[in-house]
Structures are given as C-alpha cells and as structure tokens.
Amino acid sequence: MTGPPQSRDADPEDGLTAGHGRGGDGVPGIRRVAPLGSAAVDTTLPGTPADLLGPERDGTERMVPSRLAEFAAARRCGHLALEGLGVRPVGIPRGVRGRPFWPVGVIGSLT
C-alpha cells in the first residue's frame, strides 16, 4: 500500500503490528522490501463482523465463521494501513474476483 508515511507502533493488546517502508520496525522485513511511503499491518487475532465497514459486509452472511474471521481481520489491517498512510479508513469492498477495491490513489493487497 502506498501513500504518505506515518507511524503506528505494535500493540500487544490488539495483536497488531504495523510498519512503514524504510521507517517502521513493526512488520518484520518491511524496511528491506517496501518503498518509501508504504505501510503494512499484520495481525494474529481473528476479526469480527464489527471490524467491517459498509460495503465490506456484502456477501458475508454466506461465509462460514472461520472465513468471516479471516476476511474481517484482513479488512481491519487494511483500515489501519490506510490510517497509517494518512487516508481516512473506509470500507474496502471486493472487486473483480474478490480483489480489494482501494480508495483512489491507493494500491494494496490483503492476504
């Protein structure tokens, strides 16, 4: 994900780690591979439906609980990465073949 870099420290309470290209210490190895102005967020905790914003909820009623937890955790990381880039967190709906549909000016991946 690219945009203006900002920093967010790891918080053991929420199971999240964040890092920003060539500036953060959060996600292991991010400084070596990410360009300036990028962000990464990682989590060890499952997500919940409360983590989903607006259009992200579309189609989740058909997901089994484990898939919903993974989907919501990835979206929560996406929201935090947007925030770390100085972009207001918004829903990241699924586009073509499930690809995340990011706000204009942002390129990213969720896995």
Side-chain angles (χ1 to χ4, degrees), residues 10-35:
D11 183 350
E13 292 295 315
D14 64 14
L16 295 165
T17 349
H20 305 283
R22 306 219 202 320
D25 290 306
V27 178
I30 194 68
R31 289 189 320 231
R32 292 189 308 269
V33 297

Side-chain angles (χ1 to χ4, degrees), residues 5 7 12 14-15 20-21 23 28-29 32 34 40 45 52-53 59 62 64 72 76-77 79 81 88 100-101 103:
S7 182
D14 64 14
H20 305 283
R32 292 189 308 269
L45 300 177
L52 300 175
L53 303 177
R62 295 183 305 273
V64 297
R76 182 178 67 223
C77 288
H79 304 155
R88 183 177 65 83
F101 189 76

Side-chain angles (χ1 to χ4, degrees), residues 45-74:
L45 300 177
T48 69
D51 293 317
L52 300 175
L53 303 177
E56 295 171 338
R57 293 185 180 99
D58 294 346
T60 59
E61 66 280 349
R62 295 183 305 273
M63 292 179 180
V64 297
S66 60
R67 172 64 184 123
L68 178 58
E70 291 172 348
F71 180 81

Side-chain angles (χ1 to χ4, degrees), residues 86-99:
V87 176
R88 183 177 65 83
V90 295
I92 307 165
R94 289 171 285 184
V96 177
R97 294 194 286 181
R99 293 180 185 155

